[in-house]
Amino acid sequence: MYDERNLLLMTPGPVPIHPRVYEAMNRVICHHRTENFRKVFMECIELSKYVMQTENDVFILTGSGTAAMEAAISNIVEPGDEVICFINGKFSERWFEICQAFGAKCHTYSVEWGKAITPDIVKKAVEEHPEASIATICHNETSTGILNPLPEIAKICRENDLILVVDGITSVGGDYVFPDKWGVNVLVTGSQKCLGCPPGLSLIMVDEQAWEKIKNRKSNKFSYYVDLERYKKSLEKKRETPYTPAITLLFGLRESLTMIKEEGLEQRVKRHRLCGKALREGVKALNLPLFEDENYASNTLTAVSYPQGITDSQFRGLMEKHGVLVAGGQAHLKGKIFRVAHMNIIGEREILTTLATMELVLSEIGWNFEPGSGVSSAIKIFKNKL
Amino acid sequence: MYDERNLLLMTPGPVPIHPRVYEAMNRVICHHRTENFRKVFMECIELSKYVMQTENDVFILTGSGTAAMEAAISNIVEPGDEVICFINGKFSERWFEICQAFGAKCHTYSVEWGKAITPDIVKKAVEEHPEASIATICHNETSTGILNPLPEIAKICRENDLILVVDGITSVGGDYVFPDKWGVNVLVTGSQKCLGCPPGLSLIMVDEQAWEKIKNRKSNKFSYYVDLERYKKSLEKKRETPYTPAITLLFGLRESLTMIKEEGLEQRVKRHRLCGKALREGVKALNLPLFEDENYASNTLTAVSYPQGITDSQFRGLMEKHGVLVAGGQAHLKGKIFRVAHMNIIGEREILTTLATMELVLSEIGWNFEPGSGVSSAIKIFKNKL
């Protein structure tokens, strides 16, 4: 019964998708170099600007979030450029890997996975590397459940004239991200997380300062498929993408972004925050320790440590058997934590379902907890909108 | 009535898609890091090898055909490598542009658009540049309707130890392409042409000789999202892609590739060739001149010159008004030619529909032709399977 089509996806992408989005995608294909499609495409761009809360350029690429990350680095970074990479998980580490691939001289500042990049660390990095011109960070570290304090970090970068490149793949559309207000220069996100669409599209915002850096390059740009100047030219001259886009997915994206606008970003963020809080309280009531530093807990993903006596294969295997898919740990956290995403159309019903199923699984395992405590703790949060 | 959802797409991607493929895509999303999905993904890989007629490695990227082209060049070409680029249209020119972006020293051999790259030209190039290590070509030039004689060209390249990188975006799945037999080292294609899927996926085949070149690189590889070594490692170790793939489209691709296998590649190529021949005969009977050199006519796309007295906006506008979308010319051929694709599930019915509609449009324009001659000429071909 609980086969692959009938699992509640509490995973950080793909996420459960609203039937409206499926319906929007399930249509006869049309040609992309037509007025009708240009209209659809430009609606996607305008809605993306709303969801990203920006008046800067936004481009939509056909590719995963990593494609947009590469677009950021391959366009902005010149070989030899000094880049400060803040690392507190797998996805912030990816910035570092991409920067290396494109010839940057990287200065890494790492904190233990599960901890946040604090303004102190950023200040230290900036002081130690005054010649750096770019900094990279992951806003919401999906691998560890940490929301880094981006407003404070961006402020320091701005004051020190650093171009700040931000992975907002699991924050945009689920948490507050105000690139224009905060001074984020480049922001990337993907279609399959809080934007509520299947995977295959990624978005990138580029501000004026980042454009200056791109336009003043002295060296060859090792980039073609994600060459942002080509995207800008096509968009402004033709209202098109330079290469054939994933047409089907763009119809889905238009619908999912429309739904975000209908809900309203403010309300949507509040819902995500409430779900995060409810899940964390429920998890703690079940005597399971949060992995993430709760002071910087993500509002779109919760990471939980396995206590002695519960193995990953047992716990996640049983969760799946009962119809709920949660994610495991990545890299050195494999087998040590599990991760529950609460993105897109996840609401109180799904959080309660997940906690109730966890109670079933934990009782099967023989874990010591007070029956009903997980669900009740979450209900308390939902009821009082804490 | 003939709105964007109700147009016969005689365009070179997107193409008409079989309902089975729509049905395969219209399903609840599943997670990509699961056994169920790995099975789907590996079926796509195996079916791709069948359609590409190869036993070499094949990888599936989330991105347009251009992403696979960039994968080829960014992995294989090192800055300073000498590359011979054969150019006879917009898409072969794209190889040159990508090679330049990645620092190659390019030697271009161009022929007039609408003509073929002949073995003579290849011989000359090879003799003039013995130090070149790579050559690029577009098998089927979609911008001009030319099928370059790849077997002969590949033979010369092989004899001269050149790595031959081929754009098979509009030939694979619609015409004969035997990379292993012919000695093609890298072959790329896209999902939305003869493979019969929506756009968003691209495929790349890499043979041993190309792998040698990649593995023996001395310089940095300016590539991450399309870094083929990452794809190979993920595929062989985990039966996965390194980054989140376009899950929905992979379900579609599995179905469309399955349909190709059911039809049989031999029969499928015969059908495409027959459609091409029928359309060309029909067009000529209507007193419209073929643009392409008919000795090298593509079997998946026909390019037709506008004679004096027929304008592009008038002709294609009326075709669309009557429900058939054909493509215009690109770059300097804009307004001078129109292009009719016959790919994927296009058969006799669609060719006859297109010719009949052309007769309607031409009679509205007042063009001089014998009524019924276009359709009759095509019927003669279909009837006799010429």
Side-chain angles (χ1 to χ4, degrees), chain A residues 22 70 97 101 220 224-225, chain B residues 22 29 70 97 101 220 224-225:
Chain A
Y22 283 120
E70 174 163 325
E97 291 172 1
N220 198 25
Y224 189 91
Y225 182 61
Chain B
Y22 283 119
I29 200 140
E70 173 162 326
E97 291 172 1
N220 198 26
Y224 188 91
Y225 182 62

Side-chain angles (χ1 to χ4, degrees), chain A residues 278 281-283 285-286 352 355 359 369-379:
Chain A
E281 291 306 316
V283 161
L286 296 173
L352 296 175
L355 284 166
E359 292 199 21
F369 71 99
E370 194 182 327
S373 61
V375 169
S376 316
S377 301
I379 287 173

Side-chain angles (χ1 to χ4, degrees), chain A residues 79-317:
Chain A
D81 273 353
E82 300 203 17
V83 181
I84 300 173
C85 299
F86 296 106
I87 301 178
N88 63 334
K90 183 181 159 73
F91 294 99
S92 36
E93 196 171 67
R94 185 165 290 177
W95 278 129
F96 167 59
E97 291 172 1
I98 299 174
C99 285
Q100 278 197 311
F102 285 87
K105 190 177 162 193
C106 296
H107 307 293
T108 59
Y109 283 79
S110 303
V111 301
E112 196 189 330
W113 289 27
K115 306 282 178 219
I117 303 293
T118 55
D120 279 358
I121 297 166
V122 178
K123 264 183 211 144
K124 183 168 178 284
V126 166
E127 276 164 24
E128 288 178 354
H129 298 287
E131 59 308 329
S133 56
I134 298 154
T136 65
I137 197 163
C138 179
H139 185 199
N140 189 71
E141 243 307 345
T142 322
S143 63
T144 65
I146 287 292
L147 181 73
N148 289 307
L150 189 54
E152 293 82 352
I153 292 167
K155 187 164 178 282
I156 300 165
C157 290
R158 207 169 56 239
E159 286 166 0
N160 290 275
D161 212 32
L162 278 172
I163 292 180
L164 181 59
V165 178
V166 175
D167 169 351
I169 293 177
T170 56
S171 60
V172 170
D175 210 331
Y176 293 118
V177 194
F178 298 110
D180 297 7
K181 203 163 87 182
W182 295 348
V184 168
N185 306 102
V186 179
L187 176 67
V188 306
T189 194
S191 57
Q192 82 276 24
K193 317 280 183 178
C194 302
L195 301 192
C197 191
L201 297 173
S202 54
L203 284 67
I204 180 165
M205 178 217 84
V206 183
D207 86 340
E208 264 314 308
Q209 198 183 335
W211 271 125
E212 278 303 302
K213 179 84 173 72
I214 295 171
K215 285 175 185 159
N216 292 327
R217 284 183 73 98
K218 302 217 164 32
S219 59
N220 198 25
K221 191 199 287 171
F222 292 90
S223 185
Y224 189 91
Y225 182 61
V226 293
D227 179 348
L228 294 173
E229 286 174 289
R230 290 177 189 270
Y231 281 83
K232 190 174 170 68
K233 197 175 146 196
S234 275
L235 185 70
E236 291 177 355
K237 275 194 151 176
K238 303 181 181 173
R239 295 175 295 137
E240 292 180 3
T241 51
Y243 319 114
T244 312
I247 297 170
T248 328
L249 298 178
L250 282 165
F251 279 107
L253 186 68
R254 179 175 64 165
E255 191 66 19
S256 64
L257 295 177
T258 300
M259 290 184 67
I260 295 178
K261 199 167 182 189
E262 286 171 5
E263 181 176 14
L265 206 54
E266 179 80 18
Q267 168 54 28
R268 189 172 174 93
V269 171
K270 278 187 184 156
R271 173 167 62 78
H272 278 79
R273 294 194 157 201
L274 195 64
C275 285
K277 175 87 171 152
L279 182 65
R280 289 194 297 275
E281 291 306 316
V283 161
K284 287 189 289 180
L286 296 173
N287 299 329
L288 295 178
L290 292 178
F291 170 72
E292 66 218 21
D293 177 349
E294 209 179 342
N295 295 316
Y296 296 97
S298 160
N299 298 302
T300 61
L301 181 130
T302 299
V304 184
S305 296
Y306 285 117
Q308 198 127 28
I310 304 182
T311 68
D312 182 57
S313 60
Q314 185 185 35
F315 178 79
R316 289 202 300 128

